[in-house]
Amino acid sequence: MSQHVIALDQGTTSSRAIIFDANGKIASLSQHPFAQIYPQPGWVEHDPMTILYTQLESLSEAFRASGLSAADIAAVGITNQRETTIVWERETGRPVYNAIVWQCRRTAPLCEELRRGGWEEKIREKTGLLIDAYFSGTKLRWILDNVPGARERAERGELLFGTVDTWLIWNLTGGRVHVTDYSNASRTMLFNIHTLQWDAELCEALNIPMCMLPKPVSNSEEYGTIDSHMPGLEELSGIPICGAAGDQQAALLGQGCIYPGEAKNTYGTGCFSMMNTGTSVPVSRSGLLSCVAWNIRGKTNYCLEGSVFNAGSTVQWMRDELHLISSAEETQTLAESVPDNGGVYLVSAFTGLGAPYWDMYARGTLVGITRGTTRAHVVRAGLEGIAYQVRDLIDAMEKDAGAPMRILRVDGGASVNRFLMQFQADILRCPIDRPVMVETTAFGAAFLAGLHAGVWSDIGDIVRIRESAHIFRPKMDAESAQHLCARWHKAVERARDWE
């Protein structure tokens, strides 16, 4: 029996492919970064064809590097940057416009229009989301309104919409399968998370032709097989694609958070805190979002989520734009080279603030600078700012759950930063659990696919596979942590409502 699963992990800054064995060990990995496009301040785009080509190249390289044969591969699972919106021609597969990335704020005026129209409560009730430029619905509307002829072509059935999961599945199956999984659908602002269907009323409110929407499907079932004409993937022809989930839901599963109340935080381009709430749809009073976590074998799990829009991208900014560092790894050394932040706070609201503030008009702010401020202080402030924003999310979760967080499981690129993880434990006042295998997002997607393909028999298998590598416990005294957080909130107020 085939005992390996390929995970395609299509992220905001790179496309990766990872092959896992039945014990959750990595057999091979390939990664290709790609360019970010910033047409205007606050606008973020990707080239959809670059997303596709880098993902296919990563898949081909990982397979060749593994030394495995196609007979060893049971299935393919997909996880992806969510909300990023692509529209393409049904006949040719050509995108009609660049992908509008989840970070993009261009549709803030349309969101204001929806609020003035009284849609906030209805959207929250049906979708679990707040009205924000973050989500796919207004991005799709923008493409239809601003690309010449797009609306008319969409109404004639000539154009298709999809988030990145849909785009990859459609291409991998040779254009035969147009689907999206429930977790990605729940981030569009067009999907009813109670009925697990597209909502006609919301589509009408946003003037979205429903004929261009993909079919919603569960997170662990066979969607189709890899097409024999995919360049470089001829050997993998016929292998089933059996699992898909948005990156944060995949990470929640990959961390083994399968019981209500268990939570994780992923430190990626953004930071995403998520708590499993079981089979009941959560209602947040603290500015968090309610989403589908996954639907497996007919059972739907929901989750609470809060987002920090800029986390790893803050480190990229310090490296690529400010040239304060030459590599992300250097941040740990610099942060530890000074005893404290020197009174400096960096609020990385480059594309607004997410939960619990939901301020589309906030902008990045650096405060507390003196003549004695060094680059080490600024870099430390950048890392601390990530941790403060995560604390704001977890505070909101604790209020909604009515109980303190017992432990937070972490993953993502920045979770390897020792300084950041210790500071996170200090100001969160709870242990931080970092696993041995930090590729939890990719493994969550692989597990969904392997579960359907028979590599694993039960969702509980993922708990048995996960191992803790290190648990960071609070060392700072509570009074100092409280003082730092108070100063942080003062800095946030300086950043808010800037535009």
Side-chain angles (χ1 to χ4, degrees):
M1 180 181 172
S2 304
Q3 289 293 301
H4 290 80
V5 181
I6 299 174
L8 304 184
D9 183 357
Q10 204 299 300
T12 308
T13 58
S14 70
S15 297
R16 305 192 307 155
I18 305 178
I19 301 181
F20 295 93
D21 67 17
N23 295 313
K25 306 299 183 188
I26 293 175
S28 65
L29 181 154
S30 177
Q31 176 171 346
H32 285 275
F34 55 85
Q36 309 294 297
I37 303 167
Y38 306 105
Q40 296 183 31
W43 290 30
V44 190
E45 297 178 359
H46 292 156
D47 179 348
M49 299 310 296
T50 299
I51 288 175
L52 176 62
Y53 294 150
T54 54
Q55 189 63 81
L56 295 180
E57 193 169 1
S58 297
L59 171 55
S60 177
E61 288 179 359
F63 178 63
R64 289 199 306 271
S66 70
L68 299 169
S69 71
D72 297 316
I73 308 298
V76 174
I78 293 174
T79 185
N80 57 285
Q81 53 167 316
R82 302 168 306 167
E83 299 95 22
T84 295
T85 298
I86 306 172
V87 175
W88 65 94
E89 295 174 345
R90 184 189 295 270
E91 282 298 312
T92 68
R94 287 195 299 260
V96 302
Y97 189 79
N98 275 342
I100 301 182
V101 178
W102 59 272
Q103 296 167 311
C104 187
R105 313 309 289 168
R106 77 184 67 189
T107 61
L110 176 55
C111 292
E112 296 289 0
E113 184 183 311
L114 288 169
R115 287 197 189 96
R116 288 194 298 270
W119 283 97
E120 190 141 31
E121 190 53 42
K122 185 159 284 190
I123 285 174
R124 183 61 185 257
E125 178 188 323
K126 290 187 173 192
T127 70
L129 307 177
L130 299 170
I131 294 176
D132 193 83
Y134 183 15
F135 306 111
S136 311
T138 59
K139 301 178 194 299
L140 174 53
R141 164 76 177 270
W142 189 94
I143 291 173
L144 295 177
D145 287 347
N146 289 275
V147 174
R151 178 168 298 284
E152 293 75 19
R153 296 185 68 193
E155 289 170 350
R156 292 197 299 266
E158 297 173 13
L159 301 183
L160 300 176
F161 153 75
T163 44
V164 174
D165 61 313
T166 303
W167 171 242
L168 293 178
I169 293 170
W170 192 86
N171 278 284
L172 285 167
T173 60
R176 293 191 302 275
V177 180
H178 185 222
V179 299
T180 186
D181 72 86
Y182 292 144
S183 70
N184 274 294
S186 74
R187 306 291 295 188
T188 61
M189 220 166 71
L190 301 170
F191 186 74
N192 189 313
I193 62 173
H194 306 275
T195 64
L196 302 180
Q197 295 176 337
W198 298 116
D199 191 277
E201 185 181 20
L202 297 182
C203 289
E204 185 177 352
L206 277 162
N207 201 10
I208 304 297
M210 294 185 72
C211 61
M212 68 186 309
L213 302 180
K215 177 186 176 183
V217 293
S218 81
N219 298 86
S220 185
E221 64 175 90
E222 184 173 328
Y223 312 128
T225 59
I226 294 179
D227 186 74
S228 59
H229 298 99
M230 292 303 295
L233 303 181
E234 292 82 3
E235 272 191 88
L236 298 175
S237 171
I239 290 179
I241 304 166
C242 292
D247 51 10
Q248 303 316 313
Q249 286 94 330
L252 186 70
L253 180 62
Q255 282 280 24
C257 297
I258 63 172
Y259 300 111
E262 294 182 326
K264 67 88 193 175
N265 185 69
T266 296
Y267 298 82
T269 301
C271 262
F272 303 88
S273 298
M274 187 173 277
M275 177 186 285
N276 189 332
T277 63
T279 56
S280 60
V281 179
V283 177
S284 175
R285 296 171 180 81
S286 307
L288 299 178
L289 307 173
S290 305
C291 315
V292 175
W294 51 73
N295 177 287
I296 298 174
R297 296 172 178 169
K299 180 181 176 182
T300 304
N301 263 63
Y302 295 90
C303 57
L304 272 175
E305 181 181 342
S307 307
V308 174
F309 293 155
N310 290 278
S313 53
T314 304
V315 176
Q316 286 181 313
W317 173 73
M318 293 191 293
R319 182 193 65 196
D320 299 341
E321 273 68 53
L322 297 192
H323 304 291
L324 294 177
I325 53 173
S326 57
S327 68
E329 292 75 22
E330 197 179 344
T331 58
Q332 178 173 293
T333 305
L334 277 169
E336 291 176 339
S337 72
V338 289
D340 53 45
N341 64 11
V344 178
Y345 292 80
L346 173 58
V347 184
S348 55
F350 306 133
T351 52
L353 286 169
Y357 303 102
W358 292 109
D359 186 344
M360 294 185 289
Y361 303 109
R363 288 297 178 265
T365 308
L366 186 63
V367 298
I369 303 169
T370 68
R371 184 63 184 82
T373 298
T374 67
R375 73 183 180 114
H377 291 118
V378 176
V379 168
R380 179 168 176 143
L383 293 180
E384 289 183 353
I386 295 169
Y388 288 127
Q389 290 181 83
V390 172
R391 173 179 161 136
D392 289 343
L393 296 181
I394 299 302
D395 281 352
M397 274 186 187
E398 289 177 336
K399 287 175 187 170
D400 284 338
M405 185 77 65
R406 295 195 310 274
I407 194 165
L408 180 66
R409 296 174 182 176
V410 298
D411 54 64
S415 68
V416 302
N417 189 302
R418 181 182 62 244
F419 169 82
L420 177 56
M421 293 300 98
Q422 183 57 56
F423 188 76
Q424 188 72 83
D426 286 341
I427 63 159
L428 203 53
R429 316 305 302 158
C430 88
I432 302 296
D433 180 353
R434 186 173 66 194
V436 171
M437 199 274 293
V438 296
E439 299 289 355
T440 53
T441 301
F443 186 58
F447 189 83
L448 287 166
L451 191 62
H452 180 78
V455 176
W456 297 286
S457 59
D458 182 79
I459 192 171
D461 289 344
I462 204 162
V463 178
R464 293 185 282 276
I465 291 170
R466 186 190 184 277
E467 298 176 70
S468 293
H470 189 85
I471 295 180
F472 297 85
R473 302 185 187 280
K475 294 180 179 178
M476 184 186 296
D477 64 90
E479 187 177 346
S480 297
Q482 188 173 358
H483 172 74
L484 288 171
C485 290
R487 298 282 287 177
W488 160 256
H489 290 130
K490 192 174 180 182
V492 169
E493 288 309 308
R494 302 295 193 272
R496 296 196 66 185
D497 199 29
W498 182 260
E499 286 293 330

